[in-house]
Amino acid sequence: MKLTYDDKIAVLELGDDENRFSPSFLDEIEQVLDDVVAAGKQGEAHGLVTTAAGKFYSNGLDLDWLMANGDRTDWYVGRVQALLAKVLTLPIPTAAAVVGHAFGAGAMLAIAHDFRVMRADRGFFCFPEVDIRIPFTPGMAALIQAKLTPQAQVASMTTGRRFGGQDAAAAGIVDGTAGEGAVSAGALDLLRPLAGKDTGTLGAIKATMFGPAVAALTAG
């Protein structure tokens, strides 16, 4: 995981593997997000782009860890949902540069951002829960429903469909597409006009907009 800045926009590269949400991954990304928010309050971070270096944006839950730690499932899911709630309400503008596959909770991480740009010609965006027989938690369902139209909810949540970039844009799942090497630049371009938003005001607006989803994600 690597954090850099592009003209006061924080760019967080999640990694170059599947970027699954191991406990150590969750520890690291939460600390980075806290640092970016602190920088935002000081006027040093005007936005956040998350991206990746390999063929995956994120493959979501660390299923190997879950299988080895079944007695900690509730704790683990709670931590993942807390991360989603944090990203959903960050008090700075956010954009996901979906440079490769985004599956399951990895796709939910992208959905939690304000905007999404996806590679046009490679990679899939997918909620595979219906096919792997893992129903959405109330919090995860609430997150997706807070961001997508009813038609896109049905198309993505009940079918297990793998959306390429163009199809995801047509369904309103992502805000735009870009070619190889241009996805992060496209996400940055979405955020540049939003520089200088007051963090207190923006944070309060997001907390109100997404209050029901946050409540569902953070319910005990």
Side-chain angles (χ1 to χ4, degrees), residues 88 138-139 142-143 146 206-218:
L88 185 64
L143 166 65
K206 289 186 182 182
T208 300
M209 283 178 68
F210 304 121
V214 171
L217 285 165
T218 58

Side-chain angles (χ1 to χ4, degrees), residues 33-105:
L33 293 177
D34 287 343
D35 292 344
V36 171
V37 168
K41 291 179 179 178
Q42 297 298 319
E44 296 301 319
H46 292 168
L48 170 70
V49 168
T50 63
T51 186
K55 69 176 184 178
F56 290 91
Y57 173 76
S58 173
N59 225 358
L61 301 184
D62 188 339
L63 299 180
D64 290 339
W65 188 92
L66 268 175
M67 289 180 64
N69 298 273
D71 59 325
R72 302 184 70 189
T73 297
D74 289 345
W75 171 85
Y76 176 76
V77 172
R79 286 208 60 189
V80 171
Q81 294 194 161
L83 169 64
L84 298 175
K86 180 189 285 281
V87 174
L88 185 64
T89 55
L90 278 183
I92 56 176
T94 60
V98 185
V99 294
H101 301 308
F103 275 70

Side-chain angles (χ1 to χ4, degrees), residues 18-175:
E18 293 188 23
N19 303 326
R20 289 185 180 269
F21 299 167
S22 67
S24 61
F25 179 99
L26 294 170
D27 288 339
E28 190 171 0
I29 192 171
E30 287 171 359
Q31 183 59 60
V32 171
L33 293 177
D34 287 343
D35 292 344
V36 171
V37 168
K41 291 179 179 178
Q42 297 298 319
E44 296 301 319
H46 292 168
L48 170 70
V49 168
T50 63
T51 186
K55 69 176 184 178
F56 290 91
Y57 173 76
S58 173
N59 225 358
L61 301 184
D62 188 339
L63 299 180
D64 290 339
W65 188 92
L66 268 175
M67 289 180 64
N69 298 273
D71 59 325
R72 302 184 70 189
T73 297
D74 289 345
W75 171 85
Y76 176 76
V77 172
R79 286 208 60 189
V80 171
Q81 294 194 161
L83 169 64
L84 298 175
K86 180 189 285 281
V87 174
L88 185 64
T89 55
L90 278 183
I92 56 176
T94 60
V98 185
V99 294
H101 301 308
F103 275 70
M108 294 174 204
L109 177 62
I111 284 288
H113 290 66
D114 298 329
F115 307 101
R116 285 153 296 287
V117 178
M118 187 171 172
R119 183 165 164 177
D121 60 337
R122 185 176 178 182
F124 293 112
F125 187 104
C126 177
F127 297 125
E129 281 74 6
V130 70
D131 291 326
I132 60 176
R133 300 184 181 183
I134 300 178
F136 294 95
T137 67
M140 292 174 176
L143 166 65
I144 299 167
Q145 290 172 298
K147 287 302 190 81
L148 300 185
T149 66
Q151 293 87 348
Q153 292 167 34
V154 172
S156 62
M157 296 176 72
T158 69
T159 67
R161 177 180 172 184
R162 298 184 177 195
F163 289 83
Q166 299 290 357
D167 288 341
I173 294 171
V174 301
D175 299 278

